[in-house]
Amino acid sequence: MAVVATLALLLAAIFAVCCLLLGAFIGSLLYMVVLHHRLKETGLRREETLLATPLPPDEELPHVVVQIPSFNEGPVLRRGVEAAARLDWPRDKLHIQVLDDSTDGTAELARTVVAELRARGIDAVALQRVDRSGYKGGALHEAMQKTPHDFFAIFDVDYVPSPDFLRTCMRPFFANPDWAFVQARFDFLNPHENALTEMQMVTLDAHLGIEQATRCWAGHPLPFNGTCGIWQRAAIEAGGGWKGDTVTEDLDLTYRGWVKGWRALFLTSVPVPGELPADTQTWLRQQQRWQDGFRHVSMRMFPAILGSRDITPSSKAAALLHLCMSLNQPVLLVGVVSGLLAGLLAPSLVPLLLTLFVLTLAWVVFCAATFLRAGHNFIRGGEMPPARFAMVLVRFVGGQIAMVVRSLAVHIRKRLDRPKPVVFDRTPKKGD
């Protein structure tokens, strides 16, 4: 009995530690809200100044390569490629690369659309690979080797930039040639299609409007969002180039470049609309891919960040706090399992465990609600009524629970099956 009691206490202690860690992780979002309000006025003023930087005459503008990765996304390919062709930039300095790894009819469509652009005098090419080595990162790496130019505007194929995107987002490079990349804020084509897309709109508004904007204003590491941004070749090469050994190649390159001293800019006032997944299974697969890639990059970058002598302690702390967010799912899983086992082994501990659980849950809901509402207010001006926002919050909590359950199922399946290689699972879009 003594052994059982000791084991129960140990499991209860693990549960308590997991609750504290989760409280700290979610509390960091509340800290970002406070920091956002403190830095917002100065940050927005600086953004306005940077976007007012004059461009040189057209004959002195640099060449820009627009890269559009695609995999079996026929319903949206034409729309995305034609939007790139409408970008306002000198015709002889605009180059479009359709990076198509498709294995269905999208491959033929890509060739057709590119041929139509070339017939209109637009420099476009379909770079089609016989295999998907490295997935999106591999496609970006190979495409960059096929051009000598220095600026790369990257759009996932379902995003539709406005014609003035380049003339707006290239301006900061002339104010500060040392930006690694300039990231625009992506927006949404179908935010009110259903309850799921509405929940995604609110959560992504909070991520972009609070997290990304505040990291930029505070000088914290700014992750590339994978689309709607312009990279410099020098920064890509300094970071070691695009790599395909992770499913979040954007976060990976961001941190590799950041450790080498490259910084980036986030533009809150430049929206680029794209399509949100509208069914639950597609969304859950997307979230699982992001979570898995986030953890992979975090484990890879921890030693480099800790061992760097060029990064200040405060910057290290900001980077590590961000990367530690990737541990929220494992910590939650460990906490739930240890708490349940502790309660089963020692029923007398149940009231204490339940109290700790309820306090942690209340803190998580409070921080999440504050964070989401702040992002919605900043991006949309608080257009959503409180009752409707409350329903979004309920859906958000339900989505997080579904993600944890799915993550546990995936983890168990991986343990039972043979280890499988990393696979980049593209999020299909309908193009409605």
Side-chain angles (χ1 to χ4, degrees):
M1 294 297 293
V3 174
V4 172
T6 301
L7 180 58
L9 288 173
L10 177 60
L11 289 169
I14 293 173
F15 174 75
V17 169
C18 289
C19 287
L20 289 174
L21 287 174
L22 287 172
F25 293 158
I26 198 71
S28 70
L29 299 180
L30 192 61
Y31 166 72
M32 294 298 284
V33 172
V34 173
L35 193 60
H36 178 272
H37 283 290
R38 198 175 81 191
L39 301 176
K40 180 170 66 174
E41 184 178 349
T42 302
L44 292 178
R45 189 164 56 244
R46 184 184 70 152
E47 179 177 323
E48 184 178 357
T49 300
L50 288 170
L51 292 180
T53 303
L55 289 172
D58 281 7
E59 58 271 17
E60 297 178 18
L61 289 174
H63 291 259
V64 176
V65 182
V66 179
Q67 297 180 315
I68 307 175
S70 168
F71 175 69
N72 294 353
E73 294 173 285
V76 296
L77 184 135
R78 178 179 290 276
R79 181 183 68 191
V81 175
E82 289 184 346
R86 290 193 293 270
L87 289 169
D88 179 16
W89 202 249
R91 183 62 59 88
D92 61 329
K93 295 183 177 181
L94 178 66
H95 315 278
I96 299 174
Q97 293 179 330
V98 181
L99 318 182
D100 182 56
D101 288 351
S102 297
T103 56
D104 64 0
T106 306
E108 180 60 33
L109 176 62
R111 291 190 289 269
T112 299
V113 173
V114 164
E116 292 172 0
L117 295 187
R118 296 182 68 85
R120 288 157 46 190
I122 298 170
D123 181 19
V125 61
L127 301 177
Q128 296 177 309
R129 305 189 300 169
V130 295
D131 63 74
R132 295 179 70 199
S133 299
Y135 305 104
K136 181 179 175 181
L140 290 168
H141 174 77
E142 291 186 25
M144 199 176 84
Q145 314 311 310
K146 298 181 183 298
T147 178
H149 305 307
D150 292 328
F151 289 94
F152 297 87
I154 301 171
F155 299 99
D156 283 349
V157 70
D158 56 300
Y159 280 83
V160 187
S162 62
D164 65 349
F165 176 88
L166 291 180
R167 289 197 180 267
T168 300
C169 295
M170 284 295 293
R171 292 176 185 271
F173 285 111
F174 293 97
N176 178 9
D178 295 329
W179 297 122
F181 62 88
V182 171
Q183 169 75 64
R185 173 178 63 83
F186 49 77
D187 209 345
F188 317 109
L189 293 167
N190 59 331
H192 302 294
E193 181 174 345
N194 57 34
L196 177 63
T197 58
E198 193 163 74
M199 183 268 286
Q200 291 175 77
M201 173 191 70
V202 172
T203 56
L204 288 171
D205 279 350
H207 165 63
L208 297 163
I210 302 299
E211 288 188 280
Q212 291 291 77
T214 306
R215 288 192 185 108
C216 176
W217 301 338
H220 294 175
L222 176 68
F224 180 52
N225 286 123
T227 183
C228 309
I230 305 174
W231 274 84
Q232 281 204 70
R233 177 188 288 270
I236 297 173
E237 292 177 341
W242 294 106
K243 296 185 183 297
D245 57 351
T246 175
V247 292
T248 48
E249 73 297 320
D250 43 9
L251 181 68
D252 182 44
L253 180 59
T254 296
Y255 266 99
R256 285 188 279 114
W258 182 76
V259 168
K260 297 292 181 65
W262 287 86
R263 301 296 180 259
L265 176 68
F266 183 79
L267 300 175
T268 65
S269 61
V270 183
V272 182
E275 189 173 331
L276 293 165
D279 67 275
T280 302
Q281 288 305 312
T282 299
W283 176 74
L284 285 173
R285 288 200 309 272
Q286 180 196 65
Q287 298 301 304
Q288 187 69 54
R289 171 166 60 84
W290 288 354
Q291 286 280 346
D292 290 346
F294 198 173
R295 282 194 294 273
H296 184 198
V297 173
S298 298
M299 295 302 103
R300 169 186 288 178
M301 294 307 304
F302 276 145
I305 293 170
L306 288 171
S308 174
R309 297 181 178 179
D310 300 323
I311 303 175
T312 64
S314 61
S315 295
K316 284 185 180 182
L320 294 174
L321 180 61
H322 173 235
L323 293 176
C324 279
M325 289 291 287
S326 67
L327 302 177
N328 58 3
Q329 271 195 13
V331 169
L332 181 56
L333 288 172
V334 171
V336 169
V337 172
S338 60
L340 289 174
L341 290 176
L344 289 173
L345 292 174
S348 61
L349 293 174
V350 170
L352 177 61
L353 296 172
L354 281 176
T355 300
L356 189 54
F357 171 77
V358 170
L359 289 174
T360 303
L361 180 62
W363 172 250
V364 167
V365 171
F366 169 73
C367 291
T370 303
F371 174 67
L372 295 177
R373 191 68 192 184
H376 177 69
N377 288 345
F378 178 63
I379 300 297
R380 312 284 165 189
E383 65 185 30
M384 187 176 292
R388 193 163 151 200
F389 178 80
M391 290 305 301
V392 168
L393 184 62
V394 171
R395 296 182 197 116
F396 171 77
V397 173
Q400 300 308 302
I401 295 171
M403 284 168 55
V404 171
V405 172
R406 188 180 192 278
S407 178
L408 179 59
V410 169
H411 180 74
I412 293 173
R413 191 164 60 246
K414 285 181 178 179
R415 290 293 182 185
L416 296 176
D417 298 340
R418 293 179 180 178
K420 297 180 180 179
V422 174
V423 175
F424 189 104
D425 182 18
R426 290 287 292 167
T427 305
K429 305 294 172 60
K430 296 185 299 183
D432 292 343

